[in-house]
């Protein structure tokens, strides 16, 4: 039967079309239907509760009719998929990818029979769906001007949100009903330099929601590779969320050529908060690794010449200059300001400390020329990424690090002059190879060049992926800061160990900081897409230690800083404080030395967004477990059944917890360390101070 004839047949009976599939465990059901105008819609039900009411799907195109209505269903395919795979690194060593798939091929008979495929994957814990634009005679290049995807919710759910913003996600979270969201407050967050708040009722994804009947819903996206990031516009009366894409410099959203597809839109749902944290939907919806030989990819624990700049003890810049152009300056003749952090001597001190305490790497920021004139000028040529300051002997340092079996971590602050970075990155990566740097931390502070682009638009999304790809070709690893938030792409590019892309610990050094609940929300939001380089482990909590005029502080106890190594999953973990501060608390520092960074298994024991998280993880290829428990500003008792331990065996647990009188604000640096023999029958009950936490190693 010719396609034309087939279509005619289909049109005659598909004005209202409806098809339902259920998840492998039958708990979720997804209904696709078209309404009388031929608008595609979907609906998601869990048990007998509606999660997403009938919601519209569609894509608005620029300069041609939209993919929004007048559709008929040309064909329908359903299938089941069930496989397991092993991540290169991760929270668990085996991941099951089990879903029912529904593929709907839609045709617009009145627009030259243009075709659009909707692909739904229904898991036991949620749904992923995307738009696919097949190769076809009547569609080749096209521009997306809007995405019309709706998520029609059933009520005024509680939301954990940050303002929708084209440039940054470095906000702290606010918890309100959807009807009370006022994202304009983002404009007053002065400590974020490059920010572009969208409007009052726009929030970022991942968006974490809780319903009045205690269902947890997380809305996000997976596999963002060639498309802008998705924000959510809230209809505050009808509780409808609509996809809002980050535009480019001329206001378009995405430039596409068939065959192509959108990222996946995801809805994870459970009656247990812990199951949101253990969901693997985002990873499963990403493509498998594009890197064949992954043997060179290694999780890393590192220290660095970094915090000392954030607390003002030393500087990134070598000299203090005003209005001097980098290109016109002979760096060798500058007068040093006496505060430069990245010196050969100081680097060797860090290398010695890393070697002594078993760290894999040392990051050094401010090693390369350009920091005198890098910030906020929207300047095209700032860094060249290959010229060290005169007091940083790269040759000598790389030899010294190699002799101590410590890896150097490169730093490329691009100052968001991305055109400049693109021109120079080949040479910069060769430089890294020459001096034996296996990993780079990139940074995108300030406004983007090409001017008019935003951090989270399609052009920048492509750039971040290009960096990961180019690094992979060179067998180098990546930790990107101020990049778009991750969407599970570390499955495809496992050399992309971590991103920042949220408000990290650094904000505690020089701003109002991160409220005690912050770290209990991040795993439900930003970390849904992948690991975060949060940079935990700050022991010197109050900044007035360095300068009596300072009022800033870390908003946790010291014990909670330890717990973050377990609760905030990352294969790249920094011990962020100064070696001098660790020397004063070597007993507590022992936990940071011991804690694993790659895992065979993970058990989320108890969790509530905004309140607490307790998690246990088994170290990769070892019979050791590590537990982290954190709380918000409220004191709490963590209840930890050790049933994950092998039955009948005895273990030694070392418990690093808050002291009786600890408090994040008044008394943050007191802690206690106790050891005891435990077995799988034990249930530990551990008191967490306000803003406190507890870290346990079990061997
Ligand atoms: C912002 C990054 O997040 C931070 O870690 C870094 O030190 C500064 N940029 C300077 O590049
Ligand atoms: Ca940052």
């Amino acid at each position: 039967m010719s396609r034309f004839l087939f279509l005619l047949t289909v049109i005659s009976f598909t004005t209202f079309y409806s098809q339902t599939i259920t998840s492998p465990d039958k708990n979720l059901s997804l209904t696709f239907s078209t309404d009388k105008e031929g608008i595609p819609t979907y609906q998601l039900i869990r048990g007998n509760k509606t999660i997403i009411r009938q919601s519209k799907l569609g894509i608005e195109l620029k300069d041609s009719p939209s993919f929004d209505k007048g559709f008929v269903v040309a064909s329908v395919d359903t299938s089941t998929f069930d496989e397991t795979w092993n991540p290169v690194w991760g929270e668990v060593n085996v991941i099951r990818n089990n879903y029912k798939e529904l593929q709907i091929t839609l045709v617009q008979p009145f627009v030259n029979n243009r075709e659009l495929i909707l692909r739904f994957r229904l898991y036991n814990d949620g749904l992923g769906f995307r738009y696919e634009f097949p190769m076809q005679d009547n569609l080749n290049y096209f521009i997306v001007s809007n995405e019309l995807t709706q998520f029609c919710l059933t009520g005024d759910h509680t939301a954990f949100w940050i303002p929708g913003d084209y440039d940054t996600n470095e906000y702290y979270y606010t918890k309100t009903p959807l009807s009370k969201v006022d994202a304009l407050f983002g404009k007053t967050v002065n400590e974020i330099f490059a920010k572009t708040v969208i409007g009052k009722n726009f929030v970022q994804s991942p968006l974490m929601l809780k319903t009045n009947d205690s269902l947890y819903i997380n809305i996000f996206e997976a596999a963002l590779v060639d498309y802008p990031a998705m924000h959510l516009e809230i209809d505050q009366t009808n509780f409808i969320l609509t996809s809002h894409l980050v535009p480019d410099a001329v206001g378009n959203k995405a430039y596409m050529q068939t065959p192509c597809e959108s990222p996946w839109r995801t809805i994870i749902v459970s009656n247990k908060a812990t199951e949101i944290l253990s969901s693997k939907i985002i990873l499963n919806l990403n493509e498998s690794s594009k890197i064949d030989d992954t043997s060179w990819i290694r999780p890393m624990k590192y220290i660095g010449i970094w915090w000392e700049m954030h607390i003002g003890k030393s500087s990134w810049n070598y000299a203090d200059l005003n209005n001097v152009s980098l290109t016109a300056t002979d760096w060798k003749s500058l007068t040093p300001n006496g505060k430069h952090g990245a010196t050969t001597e100081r680097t060797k001190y860090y290398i010695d400390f890393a070697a002594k305490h078993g760290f894999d790497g040392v990051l050094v920021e401010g090693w390369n020329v350009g920091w005198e004139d890098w910030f906020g000028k929207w300047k095209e040529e700032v860094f060249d990424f290959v010229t060290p300051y005169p007091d940083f002997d790269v040759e000598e340092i790389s030899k010294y690090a190699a002799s101590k079996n410590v890896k150097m971590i490169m730093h490329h602050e691009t100052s968001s002059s991305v055109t400049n970075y693109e021109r120079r990155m080949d040479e910069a990566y060769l430089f890294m190879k020459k001096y034996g740097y296996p990993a780079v931390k990139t940074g995108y502070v300030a406004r983007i060049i090409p001017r008019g682009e935003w951090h989270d638009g399609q052009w920048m999304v492509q750039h971040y992926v290009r960096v990961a790809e180019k690094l992979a070709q060179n067998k180098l690893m990546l930790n990107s800061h101020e990049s778009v938030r991750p969407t599970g792409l570390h499955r495809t590019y496992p050399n992309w160990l971590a991103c920042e892309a949220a408000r990290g610990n650094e904000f505690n050094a020089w701003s109002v900081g991160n409220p005690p609940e912050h770290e209990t929300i991040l795993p439900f939001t930003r970390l849904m897409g992948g690991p975060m380089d949060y940079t935990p482990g700050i022991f010197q909590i109050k900044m007035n230690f360095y300068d009596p005029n300072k009022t800033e502080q870390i908003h946790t106890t010291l014990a909670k800083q330890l717990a973050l190594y377990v609760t905030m999953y990352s294969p790249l973990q920094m011990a962020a404080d100064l070696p001098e501060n660790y020397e004063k608390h070597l007993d507590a520092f022992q936990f940071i030395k011991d804690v694993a960074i790659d895992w065979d298994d993970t058990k989320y024991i108890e969790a509530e967004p905004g309140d607490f998280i307790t998690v246990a993880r088994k170290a990769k290829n070892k019979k050791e477990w590590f537990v982290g428990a954190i709380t918000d500003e409220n004191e709490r008792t963590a209840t930890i059944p050790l049933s994950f331990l092998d039955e009948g065996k005895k273990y030694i647990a070392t418990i690093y917890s808050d002291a009786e009188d600890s408090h994040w604000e008044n008394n943050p640096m007191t802690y206690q360390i106790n050891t005891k023999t435990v077995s799988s029958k034990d249930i530990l009950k551990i008191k967490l101070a306000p803003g406190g936490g507890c870290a346990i190693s079990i061997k």
Side-chain angles (χ1 to χ4, degrees), residues 3 7 32-34 38-41 56-61 65-77 102-109 111-120 129-139 142 144 146-149 227 256 258-263:
R3 188 142 133 229
L7 277 178
F32 167 84
S33 46
T34 48
I39 297 175
T41 70
K56 291 180 185 173
L57 298 168
I59 302 280
E60 199 176 278
L61 306 194
S66 292
F67 277 121
D68 57 349
K69 57 179 184 291
F71 283 108
V72 295
V73 175
S75 66
V76 176
D77 277 306
L102 173 64
Q103 177 187 326
I104 307 272
T105 303
L106 295 165
V107 166
Q108 284 175 308
V111 193
N112 300 319
N113 284 329
R114 258 184 359 187
E115 268 181 40
L116 172 72
I117 294 173
L118 290 173
R119 188 178 304 282
F120 298 90
F129 63 86
R130 72 175 179 190
Y131 302 90
E132 297 179 0
F133 310 90
M135 182 121 55
Q136 50 195 291
D137 291 344
N138 294 310
L139 188 69
F142 64 100
V144 173
N146 270 314
E147 188 181 307
L148 308 171
T149 307
Y227 205 74
M256 314 286 279
T258 58
C260 56
E261 65 274 319
S262 73

Side-chain angles (χ1 to χ4, degrees), residues 170 481-482 500 502 506-507:
E170 296 188 325
H481 277 225
E482 295 86 43
E500 182 193 45
E506 66 192 26
F507 276 79

Side-chain angles (χ1 to χ4, degrees), residues 25 33 164 175 185 217 294 302 341 345 355 380 487 537 578 625:
D25 69 357
S33 46
K175 174 185 170 183
F185 103 86
I217 303 172
T294 55
Y302 73 106
E345 199 194 347
E380 173 86 41
T487 55
L578 313 180
W625 285 81

Side-chain angles (χ1 to χ4, degrees), residues 306 310 316 365 371 374 411 413 441 445 481-482 500 506:
W306 178 73
H310 284 270
W316 282 273
E365 294 198 358
W371 290 89
W374 77 288
H411 183 229
E413 173 54 66
K441 168 179 171 179
V445 171
H481 277 225
E482 295 86 43
E500 182 193 45
E506 66 192 26

